[in-house]
Every structure is written in C-alpha cells, then in structure tokens.
Amino acid sequence: MKDSEFPIERSNGRSSKLSRKGVQSPTVYRYVEQPSADLGAGESYDSLLDYWHILLRHRMTLLSFAVVGLFAAILISLVQTPIYRVRTSLEIQSPNFLEIKGTNDSTGSYASPESYVETQVKLLQSESLLEYVIDKLKLHTDRSTTRWGGFASGVRRIFNWSKNSNVPEKEELIRQIERNLTVRTSGNSRLLEVLYESPDPKRAAEFANTLVSDFIELSQEERWKSAQGTAEWLTNHLDKMKAQLEASEAQLQDYARTSGLSFTSEKENLAESRLKELQDELSKAEADRITNQAKFEAAKSRAPDSLPDVLQDPTMREYRQKLSELQRQYAELSATLTPEHYKVQRVQAEINELKSEMQKERDNVLRRIGNEYLAALRRERLLSENHANQEKVVADQSSKAIHYDTLKRDVDSNRRLYEVMLQRVKEASLATAMRDSNVLVVDRAKPPLLPYRPNLAMNSAIGLFSGVLLGFGFVLFRERVDRRIVAPGDAQVYLDLPELGVIPVDEAAIAWQIPNRVQAHHAAPAFPSKSALASALGDCPELATWKRKPSLLAECTRTTLTSILLPSQNADGPRILVLTSPCAGDGKTTVACNLSIAIAEIGRKVLLIDGDLRRPRLHKVFNTANSGGLSDVLWAEGSLETAPLSDLVRETEVSGLWLLPAGSCGVTPSNLFYSPRMSRLLRRLRTEFDMILIDAPPMIHLADARVLGRLADGVILVVRAGQTTTESALLATQRFAEDGTHVLGTVLNSWDPKTSRDYGYGSYSDHKAYVAQ
C-alpha cells in the first residue's frame, strides 16, 4: 500500500507544553489507523477443514458428550421392560363364485381392491373385535405391568394420585391394546401383517392368533348372515316379479288379438315382413327388367350375329362349326371338280340348308329376347302394384304397432328382471348352504425368543450418535458465543493488525505464577527476600529468555523480535516502543521483559521502563530497589539533559539491559506523563540507548498507555490466549487510532500449542528452534 493512502501525522515535540524552548525534538511519522468497518464480525467457517480443526481442539468435549450419550442409552435400555413383538400374516383372497354382487362382503361395492383391503385392516383394528378378544381371553382380569407402569403406579400411590375414574377399565385396556397392535399391508399384494407387542411373548402370540381366528369367524358369520338376508329378500320378491311378468305378457297378447296384428315366431309383424319381402322382390324385378330391356334394345340396333346370346347359343355354335366344315369341303372339291359335278352340288345343297336353319335359330333367339323383356316388364308392374297396396296396409297398422312395441318392451324388461332375480335366488341359496371365507392365515404367530425392544445395540448407537451430535452443536455454539482470542491468526482477523509473534504458555513457571498472583491480589505489596527470589528466578517466565535460552518461550520471543525489526532494516526502525494490553493479566510484563532480553542478546543497548506506576513489578523481576525510579525522576527539579545516566537508570544482571523502575513517588501517573519532563526524558534516553521498551499499564480503564503511546514510536498490543476478548482488543485499537498512535501489531501470549495441532508445532520436548506460523 502506498504511503499516500495513509493519513500521516507529523509530531514535533508533541505540544508546546511538552517541549522545552530551544530544544528540537525528533520528528516521528506515524500512521493514523482506523479499525475496519467489518471488524468484530462473527467468526465464519469457510471450509470443512475449519470444522475439522474445531473438532480437534474440542475432541475431549466431544468424547465426553459421546460417552455420556452412550451410557445414558445403555442405562435407559437396561431399565426398560423387554417388549416382545409377534407377527402373523393373512391373505385376503379375491371373491369367488359364491360371492353375491351387491352384498357387503363383495369388493364390487368398493372403488378398488386396495380400498377393500384397507377396509379389512380397519376391521382388524375395530374396538368391537378387540373387545370380543378381551372377553374371550379374559385379559381384564390378568393385566401385566411393565417396570415403568409399576413405577408410575407407585408414584401415584405415594402422592395419592388416582387415574381418571371416568374412563372404564375395559376402555383403558382397549386403548392400550390399540397402541400395541399394528396392522399393515405388504406393498401391492393382498397380504396383511398383524403385529402385536407385549411384555409376555406367549400372551402376545396367543392374542395375535385369537384375534386372527376371531376375525375369520366373525367375517364368516357376517357373510353368512348377509347372504341369508339377501336370499330371503330375493325369495319374497321373486313371486311378485313372476306375477308382474305374466300380467304384462297377457296384456300384450290381448292387444295383438283385438287389434288384428299378426306376428311370426320371432314376434315380428306379418304386414311389415310382407312389405319388406315385396320391396326385395320389386328391387330384383326392376334389375331384371333393366337387364332384359338392354338386351332387347341391343338386338334391334345390332346385327344378330354380333349379339352375345347368338354367339353364346350352343345350337348356333354347332351350326357355325358345321358350316365351316362344309365350306372347307366345298373349296377342296371346287379345286378339282366343276360346279356341275354332283359332289359339288351336294355340298352346296347342304350349305344352303344349314344357312336356312341358322337363320331360323337367329329369329328364335331374337323372339326369346323380346319375350323375356315383356315378361320382366309385366312382373315389375305387378310387384309395384302389390307393394303400393301393402304400404297402405302397413300404414294402417303403424299406430297399433307403436303401442304394441311399448307393451312388448315392458314384457322384455320384466322377463330380464325376473331371470336375474331367479339367478340371485339360486346363488343366495347356495351361499347360505356353504359357509366360506376369503381370509387365509399364511403364518401363525409364535412366541419370540428375543425382545423387540429395547434394542441395546441400536439404542447405544443412537445414544452415541446423539451425544456426538449434541457435543458438536455445543462446540459450535461455544465457538460462536466465545468472543475470546484463542489461537494464532485470530487477532489478525479481528483487529486487522499484523501478528508479530506468538508466546506459548510457560508450563515450568506455572507453579511460580500462581502464588505470585495470589500475593498481588490479596496481600499488600512488599519487597520479597533475595533468597526467595533466587530460588524462584529459574522458573520466572519474565526471565525465561535469559535463564532458559533454548526453551520454546525464548525462541518464540526471538521470533517476535525478528518480526519487529526485519520490516525496518532499510529504514529507521522504531526505537521507543510501548507494550500494553487491553486488560490486566494479559502478560504484557512478561513479553516486555523477554523482548528486552532478546534485544540485549543481539548486542543492542536496551532500556526497559516500568510505566505501570500503580502496580510496579519490574523491580521485583530484576531484584532491584524501586527507589529513584520513573516517578521520582519526573517529579524532581533537576536538569535531565545534564544528569548522569547512572542517576536515571540502573544496570541489570543481563548484559546490555538497563532498567528504569516505576519509583516510589505517590503522584498521579497521568499528571507525570503529561508533564514536559516526560518528553525531555525520552529524548535524553533516546540518545543513550538503541531501543527503549516501556511496560505500560492496561489501556482500557487507564489513560497512561495512551499518553505514553503518543510519546513513543509505536505500540505493541499484548493479548492473552483464551482470556482477551475481541471487544476489548477492538476498543484498544480504536482508542489508539483515534489518538493517532501507530500500533505495530499484536503479540499472542500464553498460548498452549497442545490445544491446536493444526499449526504444526508438534512435539517440542527437545526445545529446538520454533518457527512461528
């Protein structure tokens, strides 16, 4: 990002009140940073890997929930009463030849076979059938009680509770059986499965078999009663139907006789039949007359030898053959003999005689054609006259035939109804004589050996899964609700500041820290003895970089220092740094001490200032007196520029590290920090030391860190893993941004690498070099 994109504030001596006339303070450029608008937004999980990391961090919580769920499921399964389930199956067959259409047992009255099967399911679950089975097995006199039922009865007796007296005992038993009874269909088949659950396996099997057998018996009884009632009703109405049929037939015959209508055996009207026959004959006569007329006209207009009748006549065909033979003989004789020869003349005479016969035959054919035409014409005329007369007769009888047809339809309807009724009477009589059933038992119920529930394996799996699911939900909820900074990278995400380093928890100094904190909170501050400090100095986390150089905490401190110094290798880096934290107990003093020791290790002259004038600690850490400290220097009247350095600071046991304790002057710290002597003191110390670290108090409730931050080159914000909340860290960065103070970044303190394996620390038992990720 370019420099022009940041608001830059140039500070020359801070203010006229904080600078001395004639003394030019160094110019310090700082970025005035504003917190991002989206800071503080809830943490989001962008991939399954994030959820996996969450599960790894909280694996013990998930394991605890899973174990609790498993043991709860096992405990509930053990205290439950074993329930046994029996099964029996039925086949609902299709109606056979004995079924009577229209009765209640036939599927003909149902919309589909499936609806008929569903009706049988409801009948098996009917209260009347269950009550019949209860009375038959006498279940109301011997009722089994489960463990939960016994427990509930005992509770009712203890608290003097009673069941609802308005519910009869048998009604309650029926409700219980309905809950334990299940009847279901098997797919698209006609099989029904009857399932019953009970604590007693034998009683369950007995109840299921009795229920099925009673259902079959009752269905047979109902079908027989229905068939018997149908037969009686049909028999009573059959005689009435017969009398009605006879009366209608007699009325039809009387009307036909009085009206003069005649009918054939097929009950057809003779006049209409005669008219139809005449119509057919007339049509044939017209066709015959047209054919003969065509022949007759052709005979008059064409040569006789070209007529089909002449050509096809057998006699004429024979004459033509003889004529051809005689003409051939005549030609052969004429070739050798003269016309006067008797053979030639004889053949000629035969030819003339044959031609004469042929002419007579032609005349006969023509006369026959004319006679056939005249006969066809006369026959057509006669049939036409008869047809006209018959039409008059049919017209006269048409009104009578309409009424006759009406009476005939009534007779036919009564006859069909009588025949159907007679057939139903025969079927009903046969059905009442034979009691059949369309329900077949496929499998009878048998007492099971193992209980149906509780299923220990299934319940354990459900309990384990439920525990894991609840644990996962609890972990996610805690992750959402927990606003603390817990792992590396969290501060950078929430605060939009670089994370300079991560300081792990010092397990070796836990035993030293706890009594030290108790003393700080509950006892008056007192300077400890040298022997006590010497015994605990090896485990003091503030001196871990000096006392335990190859430790993980020391290596992480050096890595943090690298993050502070490397970005400024090609420019003037920050020389005065303020280390503060949002709240108390975040470990800023520990970080400040170790960073100052790490700076001294690289050969730089470093000064550590205890800026926490209210609760000073650095003099205890470095085993020195608290007199002549910062507050004393600021309250004194002497010149800071000419004062000896030994009067201002004191050297520690760490080579290159100097200390300016808090001092014992009881003046308000903010008043001292606002004084011009504070800025003059820092200018003097800047010329004497390569770097200056100021251990400032927490900044949310105190203004000391904000005032010191304006005088320094930068601020390092220390946050404690699992303790510092994002809200407090955001508030601290916002205050610094409003003041125009440059925050170099954050340091995550007291982080336990064991809680997060996904950062690549692994086993660090040998305390090798640590690379911050």
Side-chain angles (χ1 to χ4, degrees):
M1 186 174 292
K2 299 179 181 179
D3 294 341
S4 60
E5 297 179 4
F6 291 91
I8 300 177
E9 176 183 350
R10 182 171 179 174
S11 170
N12 189 4
R14 306 297 178 185
S15 65
S16 60
K17 294 182 180 180
L18 298 179
S19 63
R20 184 184 300 175
K21 294 182 180 180
V23 179
Q24 181 67 30
S25 61
T27 302
V28 181
Y29 293 91
R30 298 178 181 88
Y31 294 117
V32 183
E33 297 181 352
Q34 297 292 337
S36 300
D38 57 348
L39 293 181
E43 182 181 0
S44 61
Y45 309 114
D46 298 331
S47 64
L48 294 177
L49 186 60
D50 295 334
Y51 289 100
W52 176 250
H53 292 163
I54 294 174
L55 295 180
L56 288 181
R57 289 200 302 269
H58 302 280
R59 56 188 177 275
M60 295 307 298
T61 303
L62 291 176
L63 181 60
S64 301
F65 272 90
V67 172
V68 171
L70 178 62
F71 278 100
I74 294 176
L75 181 61
I76 293 175
S77 300
L78 292 179
V79 300
Q80 284 183 342
T81 302
I83 301 297
Y84 296 86
R85 170 183 276 190
V86 296
R87 174 186 174 277
T88 179
S89 58
L90 306 175
E91 180 187 0
I92 307 299
Q93 298 177 347
S94 301
N96 52 26
F97 70 96
L98 295 179
E99 291 291 349
I100 302 175
K101 295 182 179 180
T103 60
N104 294 332
D105 292 329
S106 174
T107 58
S109 59
Y110 294 89
S112 63
E114 290 76 12
S115 61
Y116 176 72
V117 175
E118 291 295 332
T119 303
Q120 304 307 308
V121 171
K122 298 300 181 182
L123 292 177
L124 275 168
Q125 296 174 326
S126 62
E127 292 187 4
S128 59
L129 179 60
L130 296 180
E131 186 175 359
Y132 182 80
V133 176
I134 290 173
D135 295 337
K136 185 175 182 180
L137 297 179
K138 299 179 180 180
L139 298 179
H140 55 277
T141 60
D142 185 16
R143 297 179 58 183
S144 60
T145 304
T146 61
R147 296 176 185 174
W148 288 110
F151 176 75
S153 300
V155 171
R156 284 194 296 268
R157 287 195 301 269
I158 293 174
F159 292 97
N160 197 19
W161 293 344
S162 60
K163 295 182 179 179
N164 190 359
S165 58
N166 297 328
V167 180
E169 183 178 1
K170 180 178 289 186
E171 187 72 18
E172 182 182 356
L173 181 58
I174 291 176
R175 296 291 177 267
Q176 180 181 356
I177 292 176
E178 287 179 347
R179 290 191 296 268
N180 297 334
L181 178 63
T182 303
V183 182
R184 63 190 183 188
T185 59
S186 180
N188 296 326
S189 64
R190 290 179 172 268
L191 291 178
L192 298 183
E193 290 184 342
V194 180
L195 308 175
Y196 185 71
E197 300 175 1
S198 175
D200 189 352
K202 294 183 179 180
R203 176 173 295 179
E206 182 183 6
F207 178 85
N209 292 327
T210 304
L211 177 69
V212 171
S213 59
D214 291 347
F215 171 72
I216 295 175
E217 292 177 2
L218 292 178
S219 63
Q220 289 178 351
E221 185 70 21
E222 292 297 329
R223 288 161 59 86
W224 179 80
K225 290 181 179 179
S226 177
Q228 188 178 22
T230 303
E232 292 177 357
W233 185 88
L234 291 175
T235 302
N236 294 333
H237 286 75
L238 185 62
D239 296 336
K240 296 180 181 180
M241 295 300 300
K242 183 178 181 181
Q244 186 176 357
L245 176 61
E246 292 176 351
S248 61
E249 288 181 345
Q251 184 180 2
L252 179 63
Q253 296 296 331
D254 292 342
Y255 180 76
R257 188 168 46 255
T258 55
S259 61
L261 297 176
S262 299
F263 296 92
T264 62
S265 59
E266 290 79 11
K267 304 299 182 180
E268 294 183 357
N269 193 339
L270 290 178
E272 294 179 356
S273 300
R274 178 59 181 169
L275 179 61
K276 184 177 180 180
E277 292 177 357
L278 289 175
Q279 180 66 37
D280 295 339
E281 291 297 330
L282 180 59
S283 299
K284 294 178 181 179
E286 288 178 352
D288 189 23
R289 188 262 306 167
I290 292 172
T291 302
N292 291 326
Q293 184 178 0
K295 291 181 181 181
F296 180 72
E297 292 178 355
K300 290 193 299 181
S301 62
R302 295 168 58 185
D305 290 338
S306 62
L307 295 176
D309 290 346
V310 176
L311 295 175
Q312 296 176 1
D313 186 69
T315 305
M316 290 298 296
R317 187 180 300 111
E318 184 180 356
Y319 286 164
R320 284 194 295 272
Q321 292 177 357
K322 290 181 179 181
L323 181 60
S324 298
E325 180 64 24
L326 292 176
Q327 288 177 350
R328 183 185 62 80
Q329 293 178 4
Y330 180 79
E332 291 177 354
L333 292 175
S334 298
T336 56
L337 299 177
T338 60
E340 290 82 7
H341 194 274
Y342 70 96
K343 292 183 179 181
V344 175
Q345 291 180 357
R346 186 178 56 192
V347 172
Q348 182 65 39
E350 292 177 0
I351 290 173
N352 294 333
E353 184 178 1
L354 184 58
K355 287 181 178 181
S356 176
E357 293 295 332
M358 290 177 67
Q359 183 61 37
K360 292 179 181 179
E361 189 64 29
R362 289 190 192 95
D363 296 338
N364 293 334
V365 171
L366 294 176
R367 282 194 298 272
R368 185 174 68 250
I369 291 173
N371 294 334
E372 290 176 355
Y373 168 68
L374 294 176
L377 184 61
R378 286 193 300 271
R379 184 171 181 273
E380 180 184 5
R381 187 169 55 254
L382 293 175
L383 287 175
S384 178
E385 293 175 357
N386 291 335
H387 182 267
N389 295 333
Q390 190 64 29
E391 283 182 345
K392 295 179 181 179
V393 174
V394 171
D396 294 339
Q397 295 182 355
S398 60
S399 59
K400 299 178 181 179
I402 293 173
H403 184 63
Y404 179 85
D405 291 339
T406 302
L407 296 177
K408 185 175 181 298
R409 283 193 295 271
D410 292 339
V411 172
D412 294 338
S413 177
N414 293 333
R415 182 178 292 106
R416 286 193 297 270
L417 184 59
Y418 176 76
E419 291 174 354
V420 173
M421 189 77 70
L422 182 61
Q423 181 67 24
R424 293 296 179 268
V425 169
K426 294 179 181 180
E427 293 177 355
S429 300
L430 186 58
T432 54
M434 298 178 60
R435 297 190 179 185
D436 68 320
S437 176
N438 65 330
V439 181
L440 177 63
V441 178
V442 180
D443 294 323
R444 297 189 63 83
K446 298 180 182 179
L449 300 178
L450 299 177
Y452 171 70
R453 68 172 190 270
N455 190 338
L456 183 59
M458 180 64 69
N459 292 349
S460 300
I462 294 176
L464 183 63
F465 178 76
S466 301
V468 172
L469 188 62
L470 290 176
F472 185 67
F474 174 77
V475 167
L476 290 182
F477 177 76
R478 189 169 68 177
E479 286 284 331
R480 292 285 185 178
V481 174
D482 191 3
R483 305 292 295 175
R484 297 175 298 176
I485 298 175
V486 296
D490 290 351
Q492 187 172 1
V493 172
Y494 287 116
L495 307 180
D496 197 21
L497 291 175
E499 190 172 74
L500 302 176
V502 179
I503 307 300
V505 63
D506 189 10
E507 298 180 355
I510 292 178
W512 182 88
Q513 289 177 344
I514 295 176
N516 185 47
R517 291 181 182 177
V518 172
Q519 179 183 2
H521 284 83
H522 300 284
F527 185 73
S529 63
K530 292 184 178 181
S531 59
L533 284 176
S535 61
L537 203 57
D539 292 334
C540 178
E542 288 82 356
L543 303 177
T545 306
W546 178 44
K547 293 294 184 179
R548 291 178 278 127
K549 294 182 181 296
S551 65
L552 179 61
L553 190 148
E555 294 296 338
C556 291
T557 303
R558 298 183 185 100
T559 305
T560 304
L561 178 61
T562 304
S563 300
I564 297 173
L565 298 179
L566 282 182
S568 59
Q569 289 296 321
N570 298 327
D572 294 336
R575 297 182 59 190
I576 301 178
L577 296 177
V578 174
L579 281 83
T580 184
S581 62
C583 302
D586 290 336
K588 57 181 178 52
T589 301
T590 302
V591 176
C593 292
N594 284 281
L595 276 178
S596 61
I597 294 172
I599 295 173
E601 286 180 349
I602 63 176
R604 295 192 181 186
K605 189 177 180 181
V606 59
L607 173 63
L608 180 59
I609 301 176
D610 193 348
D612 193 351
L613 304 183
R614 295 175 178 82
R615 295 174 56 184
R617 281 190 58 214
L618 291 181
H619 65 284
K620 299 178 183 179
V621 173
F622 290 96
N623 192 18
T624 183
N626 195 27
S627 59
L630 177 62
S631 61
D632 299 312
V633 173
L634 296 178
W635 184 253
E637 297 294 337
S639 175
L640 295 176
E641 288 77 7
T642 60
L645 184 63
S646 59
D647 294 342
L648 300 178
V649 299
R650 61 196 64 179
E651 190 174 2
T652 64
E653 297 179 5
V654 182
S655 177
L657 176 60
W658 298 71
L659 176 65
L660 178 58
S664 58
C665 182
V667 184
T668 304
S670 298
N671 297 336
L672 295 177
F673 294 153
Y674 276 117
S675 67
R677 290 181 62 85
M678 184 64 194
S679 60
R680 293 199 300 269
L681 176 63
L682 291 179
R683 284 196 296 271
R684 166 67 189 281
L685 296 176
R686 185 189 292 268
T687 61
E688 299 289 342
F689 295 95
D690 296 328
M691 289 194 70
I692 301 173
L693 300 183
I694 303 176
D695 181 14
M699 60 84 53
I700 291 183
H701 300 292
L702 301 175
D704 300 357
R706 299 175 63 183
V707 176
L708 293 174
R710 294 283 296 181
L711 300 176
D713 297 338
V715 174
I716 296 177
L717 189 65
V718 179
V719 295
R720 190 179 187 90
Q723 178 174 321
T724 305
T725 62
T726 57
E727 289 80 3
S728 61
L730 280 170
L731 180 59
T733 56
Q734 185 176 2
R735 294 283 175 82
F736 284 128
E738 292 171 354
D739 298 340
T741 302
H742 177 45
V743 180
L744 297 180
T746 63
V747 175
L748 181 64
N749 184 36
S750 190
W751 175 64
D752 189 2
K754 296 180 180 179
T755 60
S756 300
R757 295 183 178 180
D758 50 315
Y759 287 92
Y761 293 95
S763 175
Y764 217 95
S765 58
D766 54 351
H767 301 291
K768 294 291 180 73
Y770 161 70
V771 179
Q773 299 188 6

